Amino acid sequence: MRFGVVVFPGSNCDADCFHVLKNVFGRETVYIWHKDDSFDVDCIVLPGGFSYGDYLRAGAIARFSPVMKKVVEFSEAGGLVIGICNGFQILLEAGLLPGAMLRNKSINFRCHDVYLRVENNETPFTNKALKGQVLKIPIAHGEGNYYCEPDTLKRLIANGQVVFRYCNSRGEVTEDANPNGSLYNIAGIINEKGNVLGMMPHPERCSEKILGGEDGRVIWESIIAYLERGANRG
Amino acid sequence: MAIARVIVELKPGVLDPQGEAIKNSLHALGYEEVKKVRVGKFITLEVEGNDLKEIEERVKEMADKLLANVVIEKFSVQVEG
Amino acid sequence: MAIARVIVELKPGVLDPQGEAIKNSLHALGYEEVKKVRVGKFITLEVEGNDLKEIEERVKEMADKLLANVVIEKFSVQVEG
Amino acid sequence: MAKWREMGLTDEEYRRIVEYLDREPNEVELGMCAVMWSEHCSYKSSKIHLKKLPTKGPAVVQGPGENAGVVDIGDGLGIAFKIESHNHPSAIEPYQGAATGVGGIIRDIFAMGARPIALLDSLRFGKLDSPRVRHLFTGVVAGIAGYGNCIGIPTVAGDVYFQESYAENPLVNAMCVGIVELSKLKKGVASGVGNPVLLVGATTGRDGIHGATFASEELSRDGEDKRPSVQVGDPFMEKLLLEACLEALEYGHIVGMQDLGAAGLTSSSSEMAARGKSGIRLYLDRVPLREEGMTPYEIMLSESQERMLLVVEKGYEDEIIKIFKKWDLNAVVVGEITAGEEIEVFFGGECVAKLPYRLLTEEAPVYDRPYQVPEIKNLQSVNPAGVDCGEALRRLLQNPNIARRDYVYEQYDHQVGVNTVVKPGYSDAAVLRIKGTKKGIAVKTDGNGRYVYFNPREGAKRAVLEAALNLAVTGARPLGLTNCLNFGNPEKPEIMGQFVEVIAGMKDACEILNIPVTGGNVSFYNETGEKAIYPTPVIGMVGLIDDLETGLIPMAFQTEGDLIYLLGEPTGELGQSEFLKEFFGDVLVPVPPVDLQEGKKIIDLLPLLKKQGLINSAHDVSDGGLAVSLCEAAFAGELGVNIDFITSLLPQEMLFSEKVGLVIVSVSPEKANEFEEIVKASGVAVTKLGRVNGNDEIEICLNGQRVIKEKLSELKALYEGGLRWALK
Ligand SMILES: Nc1ncnc2c1ncn2[C@@H]1O[C@H](COP(=O)(O)OP(=O)(O)O)[C@@H](O)[C@H]1O
Ligand SMILES: [Mg+2]
């Protein structure tokens, strides 16, 4: 089982994801340079950060990196792709996931813990979680205000594509618990096929006890369990 | 050399948090008459070439591909020699 | 009700990292003809009132105080009824 | 006006240049001299005083004089750290001023070969009731966030004060901390005749020309056209630059590296030349420019951001350039090392400047400016007995100088890098783990200018002791400090007097606490009109926790029933406390003495107590006094307190004096005896204050009399709302 962490110019959580997969979970992990047009991995991580400074719109320029063509092919072949924060934004810009990100409702960048409710635990990324489980995971973003057309939202809900929603510590999805104004308190969605996940919160930041929380582990553990079951390789 | 100006705006109906924030600040400064604020981008390109028609086509392509995200934004292009 | 449009642009000579990044990306997409990109803001205000002259004055004030950062930016205002 | 005066040189300084050269300098040369002889670059008013500070210690690997100081943390690793001011630019354009300040200090750290792992920011503004101050404050915070978040270095700690004296002249000091394998430490030296000199990173524009001289003048409101054009930060570019420089260092064959900060190419080339005792020849035609028609004068003085100068072993330049190209960056050989001692500048085939590096560096003037030690006179007394303690506590908790600072640090990505073990707001200092070891480092900035203004010497001691205690309460042992000395115009004897006294106080504190100074920065001319800011030495400190598993002390109360103790002797002076200001205004009453000896004992004691498992939490007493500190530890642990002890002080003095050097700790009841014995044996005064409760209640009784009884949740709401309300 091999993980690949894509490095775009301006990625800054690449090393963090790499560290967690390699040193915390002991999995073979490689960096994939944005100019690379081939790789041999089982799961791709599009990490957080500010690819190309996020200078036009978050993720807008990165989606044209040579590597993204291959990421699209990989995902079409069923390979697992997880985009975290900026990685999520890139997936949206690339059209691998529906919708777009707006500025946070508060305008400000926000970095703090949030609670997520697992809405769908039948995905490669959440199979180790319980449905309705509440996870405490930090966010750090200025543009995480998820938006899509009403029809798209309906479809997302109907298909179980909404994987995580912002909630309070008791698991209630409320307006107060929504840190950025996201539609339907959406914190993470998956594609129709179920192999591409985008989420704003950072599971790699809470996968070790010393950092004050381990709720992020369940996502990595789910991916590992899924891949261990010998599911298809992209 | 031609100058192309691209205006990128949020589609009507898409929430504009930045516009809201500006409106509130304007109210706080006493400009109560401002009822709505929308913030878009104004992108100026210097483009080589003489055929303004063709340039406009190309810039529209650029806007469609990169400069605007058509899920949430619309754009207009204007070119002058 | 009047519509005021404010264009805010960086003063010439002020570094525009956004513009640079967009230019490089356009080149990578094959739009080599683009020689320079500058990114500004396009702000649309809905303002109550009928006296366009006065509205223009007020909006200029707003731009000067809040909408533009006059240390590095310049602005222009256009009002229509 | 004579050309040199326009550039900020005095007639006497100009005369010395002519004498040294034995000819008149041309315009380019004069510009180079003027920036290098500016206060900002030459430290001409501060140099002789800075020499008095202790700079040596067992952990010091690199003291002052390099791009950053370095301390040894064992395992072959070092921590590089430095603080710098960006006050003037931030006063004019808060967002970009603060952003470029952050960018500048980051470059200093990776110039040493260190990977930046944390940022800190020390901020001073006027009072938030002024719209302009709110604009400055929110802009500065957004600028720091904008730069730090984008480049991906967590901003983990800092401090903020709002005092009238900073209304026109805010202070924005940024500190960066990096980690380096000591065997790979780099210095900013130029040597090896024939070695190529590379300029890498951003293109050179007209921005910031004469920024250094600008920083060496008072802010005047009509100085519009004299202002250097504002620099815009490009954190994306700097991220690439950072990665490319570290990759190039890893590849090897780099002789020296230095960032281009104030005075741009002029200072980086001459400082590198001076350190390596070499000459440098520069060909300006090769410098990648952003604007057309730039003159050699402009190119030599440009302060465009996100650039570095590298000296590379001859023959390896192509490989190094390849690395920068990989990161889509410019990298150009702009010159070479020569045998002489001169900086020679060529443009269009002509030599446009030729100056010995000595003239630009060690020959820069040094002044022993006249100074007058400020006298503390007209001390008054106040009678606080009439102030209701509950009311005082409620007001203090929401005072913007005390209230929770989450408005600030929630805008900062403080977790990127996955090292932040103690996040901002969770303790006095931030703690970062050192991956691959059991160790952690604690970092914090401190410096309350209000105390320094009323008593510069004691105020400086206070700043050092407070920073040290803020580290110690996390279990850390302080290793070294960097300082940013923000003052008014040094040509005024009373300002110079403040400076001299502050140095004396810092020296005392560093010596007694045994914490060496590894570097720093001086920012003079923080004045508008006739009004100088409070003299503000900001102390940035780094400490080590040997084993995070066993050595990390939390700030929060941990368990219901734990006993609460106070370490250190409370003395009750209300001088310059927030309480005094809140209820009596700007009156001069005695400030609490700074007991460095006792402070030292407490700093040594805390890690020891933790290792023996005798304390469960620790938090020092600072702004707002004992009552506020108790609340902070209670809020953090969501546990209440019942306090009841005997004191001869008035309740208001006991609870609201801001004497530095007091620490509250919580102790499991069964460990109380052992704890008390060890503390008493160490000679530290200790008072049992009360115990932690599980109710929603803050209750304080003194001498059997109840003086405060409040709901914890209500007080917490005030503490959490205070700063945001003040911004509304
Ligand atoms: N400007 C800032 N940036 C980041 N963190 C800050 C800033 N100001 C304060 N903090 C954090 O808020 C907490 C309280 O700070 P402060 O009141 O200065 O503590 P202390 O009184 O112990 O010196 C600390 O964790 C500190 O690092
Ligand atoms: Mg403290």
Side-chain angles (χ1 to χ4, degrees):
Chain A
M1 170 185 322
R2 190 179 349 189
F3 287 85
V5 179
V6 178
V7 182
F8 297 102
S11 292
N12 63 34
C13 304
D14 45 347
D16 300 355
C17 292
F18 187 94
H19 161 77
V20 167
L21 288 165
K22 176 100 191 250
N23 303 327
V24 179
F25 289 97
R27 300 296 159 162
E28 192 183 349
T29 308
V30 294
Y31 285 119
I32 302 173
W33 185 241
H34 66 110
K35 290 176 189 163
D36 286 356
D37 53 13
S38 73
F39 43 73
D40 177 21
V41 299
D42 303 283
C43 173
I44 289 179
V45 182
L46 302 184
F50 285 73
S51 55
Y52 295 91
D54 278 356
Y55 280 156
L56 178 58
R57 289 179 312 277
I61 300 180
R63 74 162 268 219
F64 291 109
S65 293
V67 75
M68 281 308 290
K69 272 205 193 79
K70 295 291 154 183
V71 171
V72 172
E73 285 171 20
F74 178 82
S75 74
E76 279 166 356
L80 292 192
V81 180
I82 174 170
I84 300 166
C85 199
N86 196 232
F88 186 8
Q89 294 161 337
I90 295 168
L91 290 172
L92 293 172
E93 285 282 340
L96 285 175
L97 292 172
M101 286 296 175
L102 300 169
R103 279 279 283 276
N104 289 354
K105 208 169 160 191
S106 67
I107 297 300
N108 291 338
F109 188 97
R110 296 187 65 168
C111 176
H112 54 77
D113 285 333
V114 297
Y115 293 97
L116 304 183
R117 195 169 78 187
V118 180
E119 300 289 298
N120 180 350
N121 68 339
E122 290 170 10
T123 80
F125 310 91
T126 52
N127 58 69
K128 288 276 185 187
L130 303 173
K131 190 165 160 70
Q133 187 175 342
V134 176
L135 305 175
K136 185 167 138 191
I137 299 191
I139 52 164
H141 61 247
E143 290 177 48
N145 183 350
Y146 180 80
Y147 171 85
C148 65
E149 301 281 338
D151 285 350
T152 310
L153 179 63
K154 263 191 219 138
R155 217 175 49 237
L156 287 175
I157 297 170
N159 292 343
Q161 287 174 256
V162 177
V163 179
F164 301 115
R165 293 175 77 194
Y166 298 109
C167 63
N168 62 23
S169 60
R170 293 181 300 281
E172 298 152 358
V173 175
T174 64
E175 200 179 321
D176 280 352
N178 187 339
N180 51 30
S182 279
L183 203 63
Y184 194 60
N185 279 41
I186 284 177
I189 56 172
I190 200 162
N191 62 344
E192 230 163 293
K193 219 156 89 191
N195 62 326
V196 178
L197 176 88
M199 64 188 294
M200 286 316 288
H202 287 270
E204 79 279 12
R205 295 185 179 185
C206 54
S207 291
E208 296 169 84
K209 192 158 162 262
I210 191 169
L211 299 179
E214 296 186 284
D215 284 7
R217 292 181 68 101
V218 70
I219 290 161
W220 309 115
E221 282 163 359
S222 298
I223 299 174
I224 290 167
Y226 178 84
L227 292 175
E228 262 170 0
R229 260 185 261 133
N232 57 327
R233 201 165 157 158
Chain B
M1 192 69 83
I3 301 286
R5 299 197 177 81
V6 183
I7 294 175
V8 180
E9 292 175 283
L10 285 172
K11 288 183 182 166
V14 175
L15 186 82
D16 180 0
Q18 214 185 339
E20 275 302 300
I22 291 177
K23 187 181 81 185
N24 294 338
S25 305
L26 286 173
H27 286 184
L29 289 173
Y31 299 104
E32 302 279 348
E33 71 265 38
V34 177
K35 293 301 153 204
K36 194 169 173 190
V37 180
R38 304 282 285 174
V39 183
K41 293 194 186 95
F42 185 81
I43 305 174
T44 311
L45 311 169
E46 280 181 23
V47 188
E48 232 165 33
N50 300 312
D51 182 342
L52 298 191
K53 202 75 215 114
E54 195 203 314
I55 290 176
E56 185 174 331
E57 279 318 304
R58 298 268 292 176
V59 172
K60 275 187 180 155
E61 248 181 64
M62 298 177 208
D64 192 56
K65 270 197 200 167
L66 179 74
L67 304 179
N69 177 345
V70 293
V71 177
I72 44 174
E73 295 169 327
K74 56 178 184 160
F75 62 84
S76 65
V77 173
Q78 185 221 319
V79 179
E80 71 189 43
Chain C
M1 192 67 83
I3 301 287
R5 298 196 177 82
V6 183
I7 293 175
V8 180
E9 292 174 284
L10 285 172
K11 288 184 182 165
V14 175
L15 180 73
D16 181 1
Q18 280 202 52
E20 277 300 302
I22 294 172
K23 186 183 79 186
N24 293 338
S25 177
L26 286 172
H27 285 184
L29 288 173
Y31 299 105
E32 300 280 348
E33 70 265 38
V34 177
K35 293 301 153 205
K36 196 171 174 188
V37 180
R38 307 279 285 173
V39 182
K41 285 193 199 111
F42 185 81
I43 306 173
T44 312
L45 311 168
E46 281 183 32
V47 189
E48 231 164 34
N50 301 313
D51 182 342
L52 298 192
K53 200 76 217 113
E54 196 203 317
I55 291 177
E56 183 173 333
E57 281 317 303
R58 299 266 293 174
V59 173
K60 275 189 182 156
E61 251 180 63
M62 299 177 207
D64 191 58
K65 274 194 200 163
L66 184 78
L67 306 179
N69 176 348
V70 291
V71 180
I72 51 175
E73 294 169 330
K74 55 180 187 165
F75 63 85
S76 64
V77 173
Q78 186 219 320
V79 179
E80 71 190 44
Chain D
M1 182 151 92
K3 197 95 202 146
W4 59 87
R5 283 190 220 147
E6 270 170 39
M7 294 186 190
L9 290 169
T10 65
D11 293 355
E12 167 59 18
E13 286 169 343
Y14 182 69
R15 200 189 53 73
R16 281 181 52 185
I17 292 167
V18 174
E19 193 174 291
Y20 189 88
L21 289 176
D22 201 17
R23 64 179 169 88
E24 303 253 343
N26 66 28
E27 190 182 332
V28 179
E29 292 169 335
L30 185 57
M32 292 168 67
C33 290
V35 285
M36 290 306 289
W37 286 26
S38 70
E39 185 66 57
H40 189 77
C41 289
S42 69
Y43 289 84
K44 57 190 168 190
S45 306
S46 57
K47 216 171 201 164
I48 58 162
H49 301 287
L50 293 174
K51 281 208 187 95
K52 300 174 202 160
L53 296 170
T55 58
K56 296 209 166 55
V60 178
V61 177
Q62 176 65 59
E66 266 293 335
N67 287 312
V70 180
V71 290
D72 190 341
I73 58 163
D75 296 319
L77 298 173
I79 297 295
F81 63 108
K82 184 156 187 283
I83 193 166
E84 211 158 69
S85 66
H86 231 216
N87 305 338
H88 283 48
S90 305
I92 288 172
E93 211 310 279
Y95 184 98
Q96 296 297 346
T100 50
V102 170
I105 195 65
I106 293 171
R107 288 193 294 281
D108 275 328
I109 299 306
F110 68 80
M112 304 295 294
R115 174 168 284 278
I117 55 169
L119 290 165
L120 295 88
D121 60 325
S122 186
L123 311 177
R124 305 288 180 277
F125 299 93
K127 291 220 192 135
L128 286 172
D129 46 22
S130 137
R132 185 178 137 76
V133 169
R134 289 200 296 273
H135 164 73
L136 290 173
F137 172 59
T138 53
V140 162
V141 170
I144 292 168
Y147 208 100
N149 298 351
C150 181
I151 193 169
I153 301 168
T155 305
V156 298
D159 60 321
V160 196
Y161 285 102
F162 306 95
Q163 311 272 14
E164 197 43 48
S165 105
Y166 307 107
E168 299 283 336
N169 195 315
L171 302 184
V172 177
N173 294 181
M175 172 169 162
C176 185
V177 179
I179 185 157
V180 56
E181 279 176 50
L182 287 173
S183 61
K184 295 187 179 158
L185 197 62
K186 260 302 141 205
K187 296 192 180 181
V189 293
S191 61
V193 174
N195 278 341
V197 176
L198 272 67
L199 180 63
V200 304
T203 49
T204 298
R206 288 200 173 88
D207 31 5
I209 291 169
H210 274 295
T213 24
F214 170 65
S216 309
E217 285 165 11
E218 293 167 25
L219 275 180
S220 69
R221 283 190 213 163
D222 52 52
E224 287 270 341
D225 32 291
K226 234 184 148 185
R227 276 174 194 168
S229 60
V230 170
Q231 300 158 42
V232 171
D234 185 350
F236 170 58
M237 171 76 76
E238 181 135 311
K239 168 68 174 168
L240 303 183
L241 189 60
L242 156 66
E243 295 301 337
C245 285
L246 292 181
E247 192 172 323
L249 285 167
E250 197 57 40
Y251 168 77
H253 307 290
I254 290 179
V255 178
M257 179 145 108
Q258 162 122 350
D259 68 301
L260 276 76
L265 207 43
T266 299
S267 68
S268 53
S269 59
S270 55
E271 284 171 14
M272 285 184 90
R275 291 198 199 101
K277 302 207 184 317
S278 305
I280 292 184
R281 189 175 297 138
L282 295 170
Y283 303 96
L284 298 188
D285 307 271
R286 302 185 190 167
V287 172
L289 299 178
R290 199 162 65 219
E291 289 173 73
E292 272 164 42
M294 283 183 70
T295 63
Y297 177 93
E298 290 171 328
I299 299 170
M300 284 307 288
L301 267 60
S302 161
E303 295 187 1
S304 286
Q305 302 284 306
E306 290 97 19
R307 299 179 299 163
M308 302 286 282
L309 202 62
L310 271 59
V311 176
V312 171
E313 285 170 27
K314 192 166 177 56
Y316 291 95
E317 58 270 32
D318 289 345
E319 283 305 310
I320 299 286
I321 288 172
K322 244 191 235 160
I323 293 173
F324 285 90
K325 294 284 174 229
K326 173 188 157 192
W327 290 96
D328 300 325
L329 290 170
N330 289 312
V332 181
V333 175
V334 292
E336 70 228 0
I337 307 300
T338 59
E341 293 204 337
E342 264 148 357
I343 308 292
E344 293 168 277
V345 183
F346 286 81
F347 186 69
E350 263 178 64
C351 179
V352 294
K354 185 171 178 175
L355 294 172
Y357 66 73
R358 283 180 208 284
L359 177 65
L360 298 171
T361 54
E362 63 211 56
E363 287 297 326
V366 171
Y367 296 131
D368 186 357
R369 297 214 188 262
Y371 64 86
Q372 188 188 343
V373 173
E375 265 179 72
I376 303 148
K377 40 190 179 206
N378 303 329
L379 277 184
Q380 293 166 273
S381 64
V382 294
N383 180 5
V387 178
D388 178 74
C389 290
E391 156 80 4
L393 179 58
R394 282 193 302 272
R395 269 170 64 179
L396 287 173
L397 284 170
Q398 53 187 313
N399 175 324
N401 284 330
I402 291 171
R404 192 170 171 85
R405 267 113 186 73
D406 55 348
Y407 169 82
V408 177
Y409 55 69
E410 278 188 7
Q411 292 187 54
Y412 302 155
D413 185 340
H414 48 256
Q415 288 174 291
V416 58
V418 290
N419 295 320
T420 315
V421 171
V422 177
K423 293 176 266 196
Y426 284 81
S427 185
D428 292 278
V431 177
L432 298 138
R433 66 156 165 202
I434 304 299
K435 285 195 199 98
T437 74
K438 293 179 160 183
K439 292 174 177 156
I441 57 165
V443 291
K444 181 74 168 82
T445 57
D446 275 295
N448 187 339
R450 209 169 132 71
Y451 282 88
V452 185
Y453 178 70
F454 285 101
N455 187 333
R457 189 181 289 236
E458 290 300 301
K461 290 183 194 168
R462 177 186 176 88
V464 177
L465 179 55
E466 172 160 18
L469 277 170
N470 279 334
L471 303 193
V473 294
T474 69
R477 172 167 49 89
L479 294 182
L481 71 82
T482 178
N483 62 89
C484 194
L485 305 176
N486 305 274
F487 286 77
N489 179 349
E491 294 156 45
K492 296 180 183 164
E494 63 277 17
I495 299 287
M496 212 47 221
Q498 293 173 340
F499 189 80
V500 171
E501 283 291 287
V502 160
I503 293 287
M506 265 176 67
K507 174 180 189 300
D508 271 3
C510 292
E511 281 173 357
I512 293 172
L513 302 180
N514 197 13
I515 307 171
V517 175
T518 65
N521 175 244
V522 179
S523 169
F524 280 128
Y525 300 97
N526 289 290
E527 298 199 7
T528 334
E530 280 301 290
K531 245 178 81 199
I533 55 157
Y534 282 162
T536 311
V538 171
I539 306 296
M541 204 178 281
V542 173
L544 181 67
I545 303 175
D546 293 317
D547 185 347
L548 286 174
E549 194 83 35
T550 56
L552 181 64
I553 312 173
M555 174 176 95
F557 291 136
Q558 300 290 310
T559 314
E560 183 178 351
D562 277 1
L563 300 176
I564 302 170
Y565 287 89
L566 181 69
L567 302 179
E569 183 78 56
T571 50
E573 293 85 352
L574 286 170
Q576 306 337 309
S577 62
E578 290 295 333
F579 171 89
L580 184 76
K581 192 154 187 214
E582 188 90 39
F583 292 94
F584 299 90
D586 262 324
V587 290
L588 259 185
V589 312
V591 294
V594 179
D595 187 342
L596 293 167
Q597 301 289 354
E598 187 171 65
K600 167 72 175 151
K601 286 182 196 153
I602 295 176
I603 291 165
D604 291 341
L605 191 58
L606 284 165
L608 210 89
L609 289 169
K610 172 64 191 174
K611 263 178 212 121
Q612 305 192 14
L614 298 176
I615 53 175
N616 300 334
S617 74
H619 180 34
D620 73 326
V621 173
S622 161
D623 309 303
L626 177 65
V628 166
S629 287
L630 285 166
C631 286
E632 287 169 341
F635 299 156
E638 310 244 339
L639 290 165
V641 297
N642 294 104
I643 300 296
D644 191 0
F645 64 99
I646 306 291
T647 171
S648 58
L649 301 172
L650 283 175
Q652 292 81 359
E653 293 171 342
M654 183 65 228
L655 296 178
F656 303 115
S657 161
E658 295 179 358
K659 178 179 174 178
V660 68
L662 306 178
V663 172
I664 50 173
V665 295
S666 63
V667 177
S668 307
E670 69 275 13
K671 303 269 173 72
N673 287 339
E674 199 183 337
F675 165 81
E676 286 183 25
E677 262 168 43
I678 291 192
V679 175
K680 280 179 189 143
S682 76
V684 170
V686 57
T687 317
K688 194 201 284 183
L689 301 181
R691 62 175 70 234
V692 177
N693 72 40
N695 317 329
D696 185 25
E697 180 181 89
I698 300 281
E699 185 195 40
I700 300 179
C701 305
L702 297 174
N703 306 324
Q705 288 264 325
R706 185 152 84 200
V707 294
I708 292 176
K709 184 171 158 109
E710 301 280 342
K711 274 209 154 87
L712 171 88
S713 49
E714 283 173 12
L715 293 182
K716 193 169 176 217
L718 298 177
Y719 180 70
E720 288 177 348
L723 185 51
R724 281 193 170 83
W725 296 331
L727 281 167
K728 284 264 150 71

